[in-house]
Amino acid sequence: MAHAPIYEFEALVAAAAGVTDGAGLRTVPPQVFAWLEAQALRLAEVGETPWLRLTQRRGRRAVQVTNFVGVIRAPDGYQIEVLPKVGKAIGGGDVEARQLLIEMLRCLGGFRHIQTDSAKLFATRMPLLEVFIAEFLRAVEHLVKRGLRSDYRAQQDNLFALRGKLQMAAHLRHNLCRRDRFFAEFDEFSPNRPENRLLHAALKRVLTWTASQANQQLARELCFVFADVPASEHPATDFQRVRLDRGMAHYEGALAWARLILEDQSPLTGGGGHQAPSLLFPMEAVFESFVAKHLARQIRQGFTLRTQARSLSLVRHLEQNWFRLKPDLLVQAVKANRLVLDTKWKLIDGQQATGSDKYGLDQGDFYQLHAYGQNYLDGQGDVVLIYPKTDALHKALPVFEFAKSSGLRLWVLPFCLQRRKLILPACGSLDGCFSRGPSAQACRGAASDAAAQEAVLA
């Protein structure tokens, strides 16, 4: 099955004579481009979060992917892999970018069951969609080994022996001349429950998606296990009926994948409705979850790390709080706010220290952090912007000071994705909250170390 890997914010154009792939540009079959163009127009019309947008390249119509990563699957089966843009900045190519994405996805709530080592090895030799399918099948296989859960299900039938409760009206209607029959309602202990129906439906769908012989074989074997369970015909309704109660914990990982497969949307819909077909993930949310998980291990004893704090608002109007202030991360000690941090999935350049370039920083982010500092820290302390570490940003930038808020300082810090550590300022200003992260030199060597480890495993 044909597939094309691209990076965030690169563009796609229809293949034609004289049109070739180039920097930030990839050609796709004309019918695939027509479908992508229609999707971009639909998103613009209905006002949904745009995972595609219309643009122009080399005088031709083009569609540009945005900050969603994962797999776009066209109706004819053509696959487009959208990889994290940081993969180009840190080197390593498509393989390392896939492996990095898989590692980061493990920090999302429903995907922490991904087996990193096996998934990374798959990523070296198969497309990203096949890696996702293999992980879903592995989760279902693990569930099957633990045993399918059954539940009591009320049903009615015309039986030869009385069972359960006799339904007199229906009994007289059906058996007026049949004394050997009883129309009864009874409880049947059956595996036909919403969770199993959803998994069966997801197995059937991935069987039509996968081109891997190993995935096809395992999917068929697992479908055979679910042969006595009808596939879900109304997934949305069945998902509302899912009950992960006692004894159902081993269903969690498989159902997380099934939701992604059956609902054709991002797993992080939230209030903004990040609607997206196929298997796409908003990279800002992925990076935030990744930083939050690993930063908690770097924080010193006596401090706690809160995610998505939302206790304060920017203004009050007509006895109502407006414009809720929601920093990504908040460090507290004895319930007192000590540090506000916000993650930004952007590539900035630590060498562009000019008034015009400003390292590539966004002025709006500074306004945002200033508001956080004034409200959560009462204008006294440190606020932090966290960006992914690259060769262009391998150490903390010099501190930023607010002219009218002398007690408030802003730091721009890189987060080393390979070592999973926040790189702190050399001056030690934040050492009271965090243990010292790895050196920049250690981070530079992480990619080569990971590659060597993969070679040994292979």
Side-chain angles (χ1 to χ4, degrees), residues 164-184:
K165 183 179 180 181
L166 183 66
Q167 302 295 301
M168 186 58 69
H171 175 70
L172 293 175
R173 187 169 60 252
H174 288 86
N175 302 322
L176 189 60
C177 300
R178 295 290 305 270
R179 294 186 177 182
D180 60 328
R181 292 292 186 103
F182 301 89
F183 197 95

PDB file of all heavy atoms in Angstrom, residues 164-184:
ATOM      1  N   GLY A 164     -36.537 -18.409  33.640  1.00  0.00           N
ATOM      2  CA  GLY A 164     -36.723 -17.008  33.962  1.00  0.00           C
ATOM      3  C   GLY A 164     -38.184 -16.673  34.214  1.00  0.00           C
ATOM      4  O   GLY A 164     -38.910 -17.432  34.861  1.00  0.00           O
ATOM      5  N   LYS A 165     -38.648 -15.566  33.645  1.00  0.00           N
ATOM      6  CA  LYS A 165     -39.990 -15.057  33.913  1.00  0.00           C
ATOM      7  C   LYS A 165     -40.873 -15.244  32.686  1.00  0.00           C
ATOM      8  O   LYS A 165     -40.526 -14.831  31.590  1.00  0.00           O
ATOM      9  CB  LYS A 165     -39.901 -13.563  34.279  1.00  0.00           C
ATOM     10  CG  LYS A 165     -41.235 -12.946  34.657  1.00  0.00           C
ATOM     11  CD  LYS A 165     -41.030 -11.479  35.015  1.00  0.00           C
ATOM     12  CE  LYS A 165     -42.359 -10.828  35.395  1.00  0.00           C
ATOM     13  NZ  LYS A 165     -42.168  -9.389  35.734  1.00  0.00           N
ATOM     14  N   LEU A 166     -42.016 -15.864  32.889  1.00  0.00           N
ATOM     15  CA  LEU A 166     -42.958 -16.094  31.794  1.00  0.00           C
ATOM     16  C   LEU A 166     -43.613 -14.769  31.390  1.00  0.00           C
ATOM     17  O   LEU A 166     -44.172 -14.055  32.220  1.00  0.00           O
ATOM     18  CB  LEU A 166     -44.029 -17.092  32.228  1.00  0.00           C
ATOM     19  CG  LEU A 166     -45.059 -17.484  31.153  1.00  0.00           C
ATOM     20  CD1 LEU A 166     -44.371 -18.263  30.040  1.00  0.00           C
ATOM     21  CD2 LEU A 166     -46.184 -18.301  31.777  1.00  0.00           C
ATOM     22  N   GLN A 167     -43.567 -14.458  30.117  1.00  0.00           N
ATOM     23  CA  GLN A 167     -44.209 -13.263  29.576  1.00  0.00           C
ATOM     24  C   GLN A 167     -45.606 -13.653  29.081  1.00  0.00           C
ATOM     25  O   GLN A 167     -45.771 -14.141  27.953  1.00  0.00           O
ATOM     26  CB  GLN A 167     -43.363 -12.673  28.439  1.00  0.00           C
ATOM     27  CG  GLN A 167     -41.948 -12.306  28.842  1.00  0.00           C
ATOM     28  CD  GLN A 167     -41.921 -11.177  29.856  1.00  0.00           C
ATOM     29  OE1 GLN A 167     -42.423 -10.086  29.599  1.00  0.00           O
ATOM     30  NE2 GLN A 167     -41.345 -11.445  31.014  1.00  0.00           N
ATOM     31  N   MET A 168     -46.616 -13.487  29.939  1.00  0.00           N
ATOM     32  CA  MET A 168     -47.925 -14.066  29.696  1.00  0.00           C
ATOM     33  C   MET A 168     -48.549 -13.556  28.398  1.00  0.00           C
ATOM     34  O   MET A 168     -49.090 -14.354  27.600  1.00  0.00           O
ATOM     35  CB  MET A 168     -48.840 -13.769  30.879  1.00  0.00           C
ATOM     36  CG  MET A 168     -50.197 -14.458  30.768  1.00  0.00           C
ATOM     37  SD  MET A 168     -50.036 -16.268  30.628  1.00  0.00           S
ATOM     38  CE  MET A 168     -49.438 -16.663  32.261  1.00  0.00           C
ATOM     39  N   ALA A 169     -48.516 -12.260  28.157  1.00  0.00           N
ATOM     40  CA  ALA A 169     -49.150 -11.728  26.945  1.00  0.00           C
ATOM     41  C   ALA A 169     -48.501 -12.296  25.697  1.00  0.00           C
ATOM     42  O   ALA A 169     -49.193 -12.767  24.772  1.00  0.00           O
ATOM     43  CB  ALA A 169     -49.074 -10.203  26.950  1.00  0.00           C
ATOM     44  N   ALA A 170     -47.184 -12.288  25.643  1.00  0.00           N
ATOM     45  CA  ALA A 170     -46.482 -12.826  24.482  1.00  0.00           C
ATOM     46  C   ALA A 170     -46.646 -14.336  24.402  1.00  0.00           C
ATOM     47  O   ALA A 170     -46.732 -14.913  23.304  1.00  0.00           O
ATOM     48  CB  ALA A 170     -45.002 -12.461  24.561  1.00  0.00           C
ATOM     49  N   HIS A 171     -46.733 -15.016  25.557  1.00  0.00           N
ATOM     50  CA  HIS A 171     -46.904 -16.474  25.576  1.00  0.00           C
ATOM     51  C   HIS A 171     -48.241 -16.858  24.956  1.00  0.00           C
ATOM     52  O   HIS A 171     -48.314 -17.800  24.137  1.00  0.00           O
ATOM     53  CB  HIS A 171     -46.812 -16.975  27.022  1.00  0.00           C
ATOM     54  CG  HIS A 171     -47.098 -18.433  27.166  1.00  0.00           C
ATOM     55  ND1 HIS A 171     -46.242 -19.407  26.709  1.00  0.00           N
ATOM     56  CD2 HIS A 171     -48.173 -19.086  27.712  1.00  0.00           C
ATOM     57  CE1 HIS A 171     -46.760 -20.602  26.965  1.00  0.00           C
ATOM     58  NE2 HIS A 171     -47.935 -20.433  27.584  1.00  0.00           N
ATOM     59  N   LEU A 172     -49.304 -16.145  25.319  1.00  0.00           N
ATOM     60  CA  LEU A 172     -50.608 -16.448  24.755  1.00  0.00           C
ATOM     61  C   LEU A 172     -50.666 -16.132  23.264  1.00  0.00           C
ATOM     62  O   LEU A 172     -51.318 -16.828  22.485  1.00  0.00           O
ATOM     63  CB  LEU A 172     -51.694 -15.662  25.509  1.00  0.00           C
ATOM     64  CG  LEU A 172     -51.909 -16.065  26.976  1.00  0.00           C
ATOM     65  CD1 LEU A 172     -52.905 -15.130  27.639  1.00  0.00           C
ATOM     66  CD2 LEU A 172     -52.366 -17.519  27.087  1.00  0.00           C
ATOM     67  N   ARG A 173     -49.959 -15.070  22.872  1.00  0.00           N
ATOM     68  CA  ARG A 173     -49.973 -14.681  21.459  1.00  0.00           C
ATOM     69  C   ARG A 173     -49.246 -15.705  20.591  1.00  0.00           C
ATOM     70  O   ARG A 173     -49.662 -16.001  19.462  1.00  0.00           O
ATOM     71  CB  ARG A 173     -49.343 -13.295  21.313  1.00  0.00           C
ATOM     72  CG  ARG A 173     -49.459 -12.728  19.895  1.00  0.00           C
ATOM     73  CD  ARG A 173     -49.078 -11.256  19.849  1.00  0.00           C
ATOM     74  NE  ARG A 173     -47.715 -10.990  20.289  1.00  0.00           N
ATOM     75  CZ  ARG A 173     -47.400 -10.404  21.438  1.00  0.00           C
ATOM     76  NH1 ARG A 173     -48.379 -10.044  22.292  1.00  0.00           N
ATOM     77  NH2 ARG A 173     -46.146 -10.188  21.781  1.00  0.00           N
ATOM     78  N   HIS A 174     -48.145 -16.260  21.095  1.00  0.00           N
ATOM     79  CA  HIS A 174     -47.319 -17.167  20.299  1.00  0.00           C
ATOM     80  C   HIS A 174     -47.692 -18.645  20.506  1.00  0.00           C
ATOM     81  O   HIS A 174     -47.487 -19.459  19.600  1.00  0.00           O
ATOM     82  CB  HIS A 174     -45.837 -16.986  20.645  1.00  0.00           C
ATOM     83  CG  HIS A 174     -45.241 -15.717  20.141  1.00  0.00           C
ATOM     84  ND1 HIS A 174     -45.302 -14.531  20.846  1.00  0.00           N
ATOM     85  CD2 HIS A 174     -44.586 -15.421  18.981  1.00  0.00           C
ATOM     86  CE1 HIS A 174     -44.689 -13.575  20.161  1.00  0.00           C
ATOM     87  NE2 HIS A 174     -44.256 -14.093  19.017  1.00  0.00           N
ATOM     88  N   ASN A 175     -48.193 -18.996  21.691  1.00  0.00           N
ATOM     89  CA  ASN A 175     -48.299 -20.419  22.038  1.00  0.00           C
ATOM     90  C   ASN A 175     -49.715 -20.832  22.428  1.00  0.00           C
ATOM     91  O   ASN A 175     -49.898 -21.717  23.272  1.00  0.00           O
ATOM     92  CB  ASN A 175     -47.338 -20.739  23.196  1.00  0.00           C
ATOM     93  CG  ASN A 175     -45.898 -20.410  22.861  1.00  0.00           C
ATOM     94  OD1 ASN A 175     -45.462 -20.623  21.737  1.00  0.00           O
ATOM     95  ND2 ASN A 175     -45.159 -19.890  23.848  1.00  0.00           N
ATOM     96  N   LEU A 176     -50.699 -20.197  21.844  1.00  0.00           N
ATOM     97  CA  LEU A 176     -52.068 -20.547  22.201  1.00  0.00           C
ATOM     98  C   LEU A 176     -52.374 -22.018  21.911  1.00  0.00           C
ATOM     99  O   LEU A 176     -53.109 -22.671  22.649  1.00  0.00           O
ATOM    100  CB  LEU A 176     -53.042 -19.644  21.429  1.00  0.00           C
ATOM    101  CG  LEU A 176     -54.523 -19.736  21.834  1.00  0.00           C
ATOM    102  CD1 LEU A 176     -54.690 -19.358  23.305  1.00  0.00           C
ATOM    103  CD2 LEU A 176     -55.378 -18.831  20.955  1.00  0.00           C
ATOM    104  N   CYS A 177     -51.738 -22.524  20.850  1.00  0.00           N
ATOM    105  CA  CYS A 177     -51.946 -23.935  20.484  1.00  0.00           C
ATOM    106  C   CYS A 177     -50.684 -24.761  20.684  1.00  0.00           C
ATOM    107  O   CYS A 177     -50.577 -25.879  20.159  1.00  0.00           O
ATOM    108  CB  CYS A 177     -52.418 -24.034  19.032  1.00  0.00           C
ATOM    109  SG  CYS A 177     -53.968 -23.171  18.698  1.00  0.00           S
ATOM    110  N   ARG A 178     -49.718 -24.231  21.402  1.00  0.00           N
ATOM    111  CA  ARG A 178     -48.445 -24.949  21.618  1.00  0.00           C
ATOM    112  C   ARG A 178     -48.195 -25.078  23.113  1.00  0.00           C
ATOM    113  O   ARG A 178     -47.584 -24.196  23.733  1.00  0.00           O
ATOM    114  CB  ARG A 178     -47.284 -24.187  20.954  1.00  0.00           C
ATOM    115  CG  ARG A 178     -47.361 -24.103  19.433  1.00  0.00           C
ATOM    116  CD  ARG A 178     -47.110 -25.471  18.781  1.00  0.00           C
ATOM    117  NE  ARG A 178     -45.858 -26.055  19.194  1.00  0.00           N
ATOM    118  CZ  ARG A 178     -44.691 -25.861  18.562  1.00  0.00           C
ATOM    119  NH1 ARG A 178     -44.647 -25.094  17.489  1.00  0.00           N
ATOM    120  NH2 ARG A 178     -43.598 -26.453  18.996  1.00  0.00           N
ATOM    121  N   ARG A 179     -48.626 -26.171  23.679  1.00  0.00           N
ATOM    122  CA  ARG A 179     -48.444 -26.369  25.109  1.00  0.00           C
ATOM    123  C   ARG A 179     -47.004 -26.727  25.479  1.00  0.00           C
ATOM    124  O   ARG A 179     -46.635 -26.701  26.649  1.00  0.00           O
ATOM    125  CB  ARG A 179     -49.374 -27.470  25.601  1.00  0.00           C
ATOM    126  CG  ARG A 179     -50.832 -27.125  25.511  1.00  0.00           C
ATOM    127  CD  ARG A 179     -51.678 -28.195  26.148  1.00  0.00           C
ATOM    128  NE  ARG A 179     -53.096 -27.835  26.127  1.00  0.00           N
ATOM    129  CZ  ARG A 179     -54.059 -28.587  26.657  1.00  0.00           C
ATOM    130  NH1 ARG A 179     -53.751 -29.732  27.250  1.00  0.00           N
ATOM    131  NH2 ARG A 179     -55.326 -28.189  26.603  1.00  0.00           N
ATOM    132  N   ASP A 180     -46.193 -27.065  24.487  1.00  0.00           N
ATOM    133  CA  ASP A 180     -44.797 -27.457  24.755  1.00  0.00           C
ATOM    134  C   ASP A 180     -43.846 -26.259  24.734  1.00  0.00           C
ATOM    135  O   ASP A 180     -42.636 -26.418  24.865  1.00  0.00           O
ATOM    136  CB  ASP A 180     -44.321 -28.483  23.722  1.00  0.00           C
ATOM    137  CG  ASP A 180     -44.375 -27.927  22.305  1.00  0.00           C
ATOM    138  OD1 ASP A 180     -45.272 -27.083  22.037  1.00  0.00           O
ATOM    139  OD2 ASP A 180     -43.529 -28.324  21.473  1.00  0.00           O
ATOM    140  N   ARG A 181     -44.367 -25.063  24.551  1.00  0.00           N
ATOM    141  CA  ARG A 181     -43.507 -23.865  24.467  1.00  0.00           C
ATOM    142  C   ARG A 181     -43.850 -22.874  25.578  1.00  0.00           C
ATOM    143  O   ARG A 181     -44.993 -22.800  26.047  1.00  0.00           O
ATOM    144  CB  ARG A 181     -43.669 -23.170  23.115  1.00  0.00           C
ATOM    145  CG  ARG A 181     -43.140 -23.950  21.921  1.00  0.00           C
ATOM    146  CD  ARG A 181     -41.631 -24.075  21.942  1.00  0.00           C
ATOM    147  NE  ARG A 181     -41.114 -24.697  20.749  1.00  0.00           N
ATOM    148  CZ  ARG A 181     -40.534 -24.028  19.748  1.00  0.00           C
ATOM    149  NH1 ARG A 181     -40.424 -22.716  19.838  1.00  0.00           N
ATOM    150  NH2 ARG A 181     -40.074 -24.654  18.698  1.00  0.00           N
ATOM    151  N   PHE A 182     -42.812 -22.093  25.954  1.00  0.00           N
ATOM    152  CA  PHE A 182     -42.968 -21.044  26.978  1.00  0.00           C
ATOM    153  C   PHE A 182     -42.240 -19.796  26.485  1.00  0.00           C
ATOM    154  O   PHE A 182     -41.023 -19.853  26.240  1.00  0.00           O
ATOM    155  CB  PHE A 182     -42.371 -21.487  28.319  1.00  0.00           C
ATOM    156  CG  PHE A 182     -42.984 -22.729  28.876  1.00  0.00           C
ATOM    157  CD1 PHE A 182     -42.483 -23.978  28.541  1.00  0.00           C
ATOM    158  CD2 PHE A 182     -44.068 -22.645  29.733  1.00  0.00           C
ATOM    159  CE1 PHE A 182     -43.053 -25.128  29.052  1.00  0.00           C
ATOM    160  CE2 PHE A 182     -44.651 -23.798  30.258  1.00  0.00           C
ATOM    161  CZ  PHE A 182     -44.136 -25.036  29.915  1.00  0.00           C
ATOM    162  N   PHE A 183     -42.957 -18.700  26.317  1.00  0.00           N
ATOM    163  CA  PHE A 183     -42.307 -17.447  25.917  1.00  0.00           C
ATOM    164  C   PHE A 183     -41.869 -16.736  27.195  1.00  0.00           C
ATOM    165  O   PHE A 183     -42.704 -16.262  27.982  1.00  0.00           O
ATOM    166  CB  PHE A 183     -43.249 -16.552  25.114  1.00  0.00           C
ATOM    167  CG  PHE A 183     -42.524 -15.489  24.351  1.00  0.00           C
ATOM    168  CD1 PHE A 183     -42.172 -15.673  23.028  1.00  0.00           C
ATOM    169  CD2 PHE A 183     -42.164 -14.294  24.962  1.00  0.00           C
ATOM    170  CE1 PHE A 183     -41.482 -14.698  22.322  1.00  0.00           C
ATOM    171  CE2 PHE A 183     -41.477 -13.314  24.273  1.00  0.00           C
ATOM    172  CZ  PHE A 183     -41.123 -13.515  22.948  1.00  0.00           C
ATOM    173  N   ALA A 184     -40.533 -16.685  27.405  1.00  0.00           N
ATOM    174  CA  ALA A 184     -40.004 -16.200  28.679  1.00  0.00           C
ATOM    175  C   ALA A 184     -38.916 -15.154  28.465  1.00  0.00           C
ATOM    176  O   ALA A 184     -38.304 -15.057  27.393  1.00  0.00           O
ATOM    177  CB  ALA A 184     -39.435 -17.373  29.482  1.00  0.00           C
TER     178      ALA A 184
END
